[in-house]
Amino acid sequence: MLRQFFAEGRGTTPVGLALAATLMVGTSAQAQEVLKFHHDLPEDSAQHMAAVRFEELVEDRTNGAIDVQIFANNALGDDVEVAQQMQFGAVQAAPIPTAKLSNFAPSLQLIDLPFLFPSPEVTYQFLDSEVGMEVLSDLEDSGFVGAMFWESGFKQLTCNHEVTSPSDLDGHKARVMESPLLIAQFEELGATAIPIAFSETYSALQQGVVECQENPIVSILKMKFYEVQDYMMLSNHGYLGTAMIFSKVWFDGLDKETQDILMQAAREAGAYQREKSAELQEGYLQEIASAGTTEIVELTPEQISAFSEAMKPVHAQFADKIGPDLLERTYAKIDELSAQ
């Protein structure tokens, strides 16, 4: 169309040039690829900061050919709903908790085993290792391409009563994610585990549907769970990792250069998120303490050891689902990293 326009001599006038420019802009806009990016936390979280970093990196390195549109706070639906949308390319990217992806790849339940990781440093080294990346790659058969593990962080327990020993949860109701492993974790402590959507957890706690819940400090603060819980136990009993994934059907349709840009941007943004999480966590804890609605209980090493022993049967219970060989290699890798 443009070739014909200029050939007829009408493209050299000011009006012709303006029209040609308009046509070229329109063609460029049509070629721009939209990347819908979902996550489940508010816009003042480290997760959102990482999403913004990812947006900046991708748009800069593709010269604007990809338009990253961030949908925070479950604006496109909850994590499970979005994962299903990603399978046919309606949403292109998201960091989704591993527990919520376990139906797509059972090996991801490894990350959710109680008291598996001894420290953030060892956790990151393991997740970035060949063993961690092997687990992430198991999602491909279900329609996802994994870039790396992002995080929400180590989980703490909140309840309407103080919990300092495993028996303190006996007979109480606890909210969990939709995860057989996390249900089993609380059942080992004698609690009744009830799967409830993240977005509905506040009201469930407020109305007494459940008495307890587990989440990283960022979620306890940003979702205001501390307003409706009397105690928060600093237990670090589990790690809430998120798999930063792309829709495979969408990703496979891109050229190799663009795929490499997306993968590298996801990894750089994930490293940035880890830094921001560590930087912000102490302030989050102080904010919860200053609210005065929740008493913060720091468990002793002996108390933590008692919880670890009580939850240990979960490892054996899920060994076959996770893969016995993978589990043994995980223990060996964590021991190796811990000794460094």
Side-chain angles (χ1 to χ4, degrees), residues 318-329:
F318 283 81
D320 286 342
K321 297 180 178 67
I322 291 169
D325 176 66
L326 173 60
L327 192 54
E328 288 306 316
R329 286 189 293 126

Side-chain angles (χ1 to χ4, degrees), residues 27-308:
T27 303
S28 174
Q30 288 173 1
Q32 190 175 49
E33 186 83 33
V34 172
L35 187 161
K36 292 182 181 177
F37 187 109
H38 153 90
H39 73 82
D40 65 355
L41 286 175
E43 294 182 353
D44 56 353
S45 64
Q47 183 163 267
H48 186 77
M49 295 174 193
V52 172
R53 175 62 62 90
F54 173 80
E55 176 186 21
E56 292 168 348
L57 291 171
V58 170
E59 292 185 351
D60 177 62
R61 293 173 184 176
T62 63
N63 295 315
I66 292 183
D67 174 22
V68 178
Q69 299 178 2
I70 301 171
F71 296 84
N73 219 15
N74 283 333
L76 297 176
D78 66 29
D79 288 318
V80 175
E81 291 169 340
V82 167
Q84 292 166 346
Q85 294 177 56
M86 292 180 72
Q87 287 181 300
F88 56 87
V91 178
Q92 289 74 40
I96 296 182
T98 54
K100 295 180 181 179
L101 293 171
S102 60
N103 286 335
F104 300 107
S107 62
L108 259 74
Q109 294 176 103
L110 172 76
I111 312 302
D112 297 292
L113 285 170
F115 294 102
L116 179 66
F117 298 115
S119 69
E121 294 73 26
V122 169
T123 305
Y124 300 152
Q125 289 173 343
F126 172 81
L127 294 176
D128 294 343
S129 74
E130 69 282 358
V131 184
M133 296 309 292
E134 176 188 324
V135 174
L136 191 60
S137 69
D138 287 345
L139 284 164
E140 287 209 23
D141 288 343
S142 294
F144 308 103
V145 175
M148 74 172 292
F149 288 101
W150 287 19
E151 71 164 10
S152 281
F154 280 87
K155 292 184 289 186
Q156 319 302 332
L157 178 69
T158 68
C159 282
N160 282 332
H161 66 286
E162 187 173 3
V163 176
T164 57
S165 70
S167 61
D168 291 336
L169 282 168
D170 191 21
H172 293 279
K173 295 175 290 185
R175 177 268 172 184
V176 295
M177 287 188 277
E178 184 69 60
S179 160
L181 188 148
L182 297 180
I183 291 171
Q185 170 187 278
F186 277 97
E187 288 178 344
E188 282 295 328
L189 305 178
T192 299
I194 302 175
I196 295 173
F198 187 55
S199 59
E200 297 171 11
T201 299
Y202 182 97
S203 60
L205 293 167
Q206 186 179 45
Q207 295 166 15
V209 175
V210 288
E211 305 156 79
C212 307
Q213 68 86 43
E214 59 167 9
N215 255 300
I217 291 172
V218 59
S219 298
I220 294 168
L221 174 69
K222 299 303 180 184
M223 302 302 287
K224 302 186 184 298
F225 297 152
Y226 66 90
E227 293 182 348
V228 287
Q229 295 275 262
D230 295 331
Y231 294 89
M232 179 169 74
M233 279 56 66
L234 300 182
S235 53
N236 292 323
H237 62 275
Y239 180 74
L240 203 166
T242 60
M244 175 57 204
I245 54 178
F246 297 103
S247 163
K248 183 171 169 56
V249 68
W250 174 79
F251 189 86
D252 286 352
L254 303 172
D255 62 80
K256 180 66 164 56
E257 182 182 0
T258 303
Q259 290 177 343
D260 290 344
I261 288 171
L262 290 169
M263 294 292 274
Q264 185 59 31
R267 290 165 182 161
E268 289 181 31
Y272 173 75
Q273 188 207 21
R274 291 173 181 176
E275 293 174 6
K276 294 303 292 185
S277 292
E279 177 186 317
L280 295 170
Q281 181 148 298
E282 189 58 36
Y284 290 161
L285 199 57
Q286 288 300 319
E287 197 170 336
I288 292 171
S290 298
T293 56
T294 302
E295 182 177 336
I296 297 175
V297 179
E298 189 162 354
L299 299 180
T300 67
E302 293 76 21
Q303 289 169 336
I304 288 175
S305 179
F307 277 101
S308 179

